[in-house]
Amino acid sequence: MTYVHSKTLNAPFDEVVARTREALSTEGFGVITEIDVQKTLKTKIGVDFRRYLILGACNPALAYEALKLEANVGAMLPCNVVVQETGEGRTEVSAIDPVASMQAIDNPALKDKAGQVGQKLRAAIDRL
């Protein structure tokens, strides 16, 4: 089982970030956190790194359902989506597979909910 669903596009980074946000929104997700890894690594440890953005995506209704099923599942939220430059004008988008990340929790109802979230994340990536 892979832990991400990915797609590589022949498009510039900023364009792909905008398209990713739109695709996530279409599937009911909002971006509630954003980590600019390139900037963070440069600021904190002086390392030059490719453009790499982690978007914390949340579908509030599905997050609420998951929290009702498992009180501590919030430690695994939000769902991370990575947008990164891969060179030669290409940009990759990868979304976590929530089913893979929930394997440690023995709660079949939660795994079903994770499957629903995963379908929506895959749909968002596929529409790019």
Side-chain angles (χ1 to χ4, degrees):
M1 172 182 286
T2 182
Y3 64 96
V4 294
H5 180 68
S6 300
K7 186 172 192 175
T8 301
L9 304 161
N10 288 315
F13 182 84
D14 290 330
E15 176 186 322
V16 174
V17 170
R19 288 170 57 184
T20 300
R21 289 178 187 277
E22 184 177 322
L24 288 167
S25 179
T26 299
E27 293 298 327
F29 292 90
V31 174
I32 60 172
T33 62
E34 183 174 315
I35 302 168
D36 183 335
V37 173
Q38 180 188 49
K39 181 180 175 183
T40 300
L41 292 176
K42 185 65 170 179
T43 302
K44 300 295 184 183
I45 61 173
V47 172
D48 291 321
F49 196 72
R50 67 187 175 278
R51 294 182 79 186
Y52 191 110
L53 188 66
I54 303 171
L55 303 173
C58 179
N59 180 307
L62 293 173
Y64 174 63
E65 294 298 319
L67 288 164
K68 289 191 306 183
L69 293 169
E70 192 72 38
N72 291 321
V73 76
M76 300 175 131
L77 301 177
C79 296
N80 285 334
V81 177
V82 171
V83 182
Q84 65 176 311
E85 286 182 327
T86 59
E88 301 178 10
R90 296 169 61 87
T91 305
E92 181 185 74
V93 181
S94 300
I96 187 70
D97 177 356
V99 173
S101 66
M102 297 291 169
Q103 289 300 315
I105 301 172
D106 186 23
N107 184 329
L110 182 64
K111 289 179 182 155
D112 288 343
K113 194 61 61 184
Q116 292 174 20
V117 173
Q119 288 173 343
K120 289 186 166 294
L121 287 170
R122 279 189 301 281
I125 300 298
D126 290 345
R127 78 174 59 251
L128 295 174

